[in-house]
C-alpha cells in the first residue's frame, strides 16, 4: 500500500509515522528546503535563540530508518483525486490513497508585498532566518499583531535590547484567548518590560524613506522602525484541492474520520476543516495526522474506521518574565467573566461562565489549578477559590 502525503509539518510527519508503523509505503512531499520543524519555534529561530537543526520534528535518520521517502523542495502543484495521482516538479506519481497536510500560511497585509525585505511575516523558517539577519544592528522593531507570536517576539526583542512597538487592532491583546481583565494584566506586564503597546490601533501603511521605515497608524501617528514583523492571522490555500474537485470552504472539508469528499482522500492539520476552523494547534494537527493515517490504511485493508476527537486544545506560554495560559472561549454574548484573583502585581486568574457552566479559563503569571479547570470545560463550575 502506497500513500502520498502532501505537506510535511506536524500533521504530515505524524501521519507518515503511523503509516510506516503499519507497514505502508509513504512518500512525504514538502515544499520547504529544511527537515520538518516545530513551527511554533520559528519565533525563537527569528531571534537567534535556536538553530534550525535544534527545532526539527525528527532527525534525518528517523525518516531513513522508517523508509519514509521525504522529498524536500518538492511542492505539489496538481492532484487527480480519482486516480490518486500527484504532480510535483513536473513528475506524476500514483498512490492508493492521499493525505493532504499542507497547513496554513500567514495572512499578508498589502505592505508586506510592497516591502518584502523590510516587512516580514513570522511563520516559516526561511522568513525567520531572514529576520535573524535583519535584526543584526536593528534598534527599533515594530510588530503588527498582538497575538501569542507577536507578544513572544516582543519579549525576545526587549531581552535583546531592541526597542519594540506592538500594534494590535483589537481593544486588547490576545483577543482570541483572553477577556479584557486577563489581557489588561498581560498588557501591564509587557509595558513594565518596556514594550510600546498600541491596542485599538491598526497599521494603514509602511513607508520607506532614505532606508528608514515609518509604520503609519490609523490615527496619523508614525512609528520609526528598522524592521517590521507581521503576525495577524492565517489563510489556507485550497486552490489545488478545489480545482481537483474536493469540497472546500476555508479549508478542505472533512468528516470525523478526516475523510475529504472523495473516497481515499484524507486531510488533517490546519488545512482540514470539520464544522468550523479550530484554533491552530500542533497537538490537534498530530492527532488528526494519526487519525488520517489509521483511517487511510483501514480503508485500503477493509478495517474499521476510528473517529478523531474534535476538541479545542489549551494554549500555554512560559517565559522567564511572562507566563500565560488559556482554554475555551475568552468572552462573548451570554458569557460572564468571573475574576477570582487579580493581585495588582501581574497575576490574574479568571473563568468564563455561561450560567453555571464553565466555558473558559484564563491565567496570567500563574498556572495554579489550570489543568483541572481546563479539563472541566463544558461542566458545571465549582468555585474552590
Ligand atoms: C508563529 C507560529 C506560532 C505558533 N505557536 C503555536 C503554539 O504555541 N502552540 C500550538 O499548539 N500551535 C502553534 N502554532 C500553530 C501550529 O504551528 C500549527 O497549528 C501546526 O503547525 C499545524 O500543523 P500542519 O501540519 O497542519 O501544518 P504545518 O506545520 O504548517 O505544515 C504544513 C507543511 O506543508 C507544506 N506545504 C504547503 N503546501 C505544500 C505543497 N503544495 N506541497 C508540498 N508541501 C506543501 C508547508 O510549507 C509546511 O511545511 C503556531 C503557528 C505559528 C505560525
Amino acid at each position: 500500500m502506497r500513500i502520498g502525503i502532501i505537506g510535511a509539518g506536524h500533521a504530515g510527519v505524524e501521519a507518515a509515522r503511523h503509516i510506516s508503523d503499519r507497514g505502508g509505503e509513504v512518500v512525504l512531499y514538502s515544499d520547504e528546503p529544511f527537515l520538518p520543524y516545530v513551527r511554533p519555534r520559528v519565533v525563537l529561530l527569528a531571534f537567534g535563540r535556536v538553530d534550525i537543526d535544534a527545532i526539527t520534528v525528527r532527525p534525518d535518520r528517523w525518516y531513513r530508518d522508517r523508509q519514509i521517502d521525504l522529498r524536500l523542495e518538492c511542492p505539489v502543484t496538481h492532484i487527480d483525486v480519482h486516480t490518486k495521482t500527484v504532480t510535483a516538479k513536473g513528475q506524476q506519481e500514483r498512490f492508493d490513497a492521499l493525505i493532504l497536510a499542507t497547513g496554513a500560511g500567514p495572512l499578508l497585509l498589502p505592505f508586506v508585498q510592497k516591502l518584502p525585505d523590510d516587512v516580514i511575516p513570522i511563520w516559516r523558517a526561511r522568513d525567520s532566518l531572514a529576520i535573524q539577519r535583519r535584526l543584526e544592528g536593528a534598534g527599533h522593531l515594530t510588530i503588527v499583531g498582538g497575538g501569542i507570536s507577536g507578544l513572544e517576539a516582543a519579549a525576545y526583542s526587549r531581552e535583546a535590547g531592541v526597542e519594540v512597538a506592538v500594534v494590535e487592532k483589537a481593544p486588547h491583546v490576545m483577543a482570541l484567548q483572553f477577556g479584557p481583565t486577563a489581557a489588561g494584566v498581560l498588557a501591564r506586564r509587557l509595558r513594565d518590560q518596556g514594550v510600546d503597546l498600541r491596542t485599538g490601533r491598526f497599521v494603514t501603511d509602511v513607508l520607506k524613506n532614505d532606508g528608514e521605515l515609518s509604520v503609519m497608524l490609523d490615527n496619523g501617528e508614525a512609528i520609526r522602525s528598522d524592521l517590521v514583523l507581521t503576525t495577524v492571522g492565517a489563510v489556507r490555500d485550497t486552490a489545488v484541492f478545489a480545482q481537483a474537485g474536493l469540497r472546500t470552504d476555508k479549508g478542505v472539508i472533512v468528516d470525523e474520520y478526516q475523510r475529504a469528499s472523495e473516497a481515499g482522500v484524507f486531510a488533517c492539520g490546519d488545512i482540514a476543516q470539520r464544522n468550523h476552523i479550530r484554533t491552530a494547534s500542533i497537538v490537534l494537527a498530530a492527532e488528526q495526522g494519526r487519525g488520517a493515517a489509521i483511517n487511510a490504511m483501514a480503508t485500503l485493508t477493509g478495517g474499521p474506521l476510528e473517529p478523531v476527537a474534535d476538541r479545542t486544545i489549551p494554549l500555554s506560554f512560559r517565559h522567564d518574565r511572562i507566563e500565560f495560559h488559556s482554554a475555551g472561549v475568552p468572552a462573548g454574548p451570554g458569557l460572564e467573566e468571573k475574576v477570582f484573583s487579580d493581585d495588582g502585581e501581574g497575576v490574574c486568574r479568571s473563568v468564563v461562565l455561561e450560567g453555571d457552566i464553565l466555558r473558559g479559563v484564563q491565567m496570567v503569571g500563574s498556572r495554579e489549578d489550570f489543568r483541572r479547570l481546563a479539563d472541566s470545560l463544558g461542566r458545571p463550575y465549582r468555585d474552590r477559590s
Side-chain angles (χ1 to χ4, degrees), residues 6-12 29-32 37 39-40 42-43 74-77 101-104 122-124 148-149 268-271 280-283 285 315-316:
I6 305 164
H10 293 274
Y29 292 94
S30 171
D31 62 355
E32 300 199 69
Y37 54 87
R39 188 159 303 282
V42 295
V43 192
C74 199
V76 169
T77 46
T102 48
I122 303 176
W123 197 287
R124 296 191 176 93
I148 182 168
S149 308
C268 49
D270 284 356
I271 191 66
S281 149
I282 55 174
V283 176
L315 179 94
S316 282

Side-chain angles (χ1 to χ4, degrees), residues 179 327 329-332 335-338 350-355 357-362 377 381:
V329 293
L335 298 177
E336 176 207 352
E337 187 186 31
K338 185 169 157 47
S350 65
V351 291
V352 177
L353 301 175
E354 186 178 4
I357 303 295
L358 184 63
R359 295 290 179 207
V361 48
Q362 302 158 19
L377 291 177
Y381 171 66

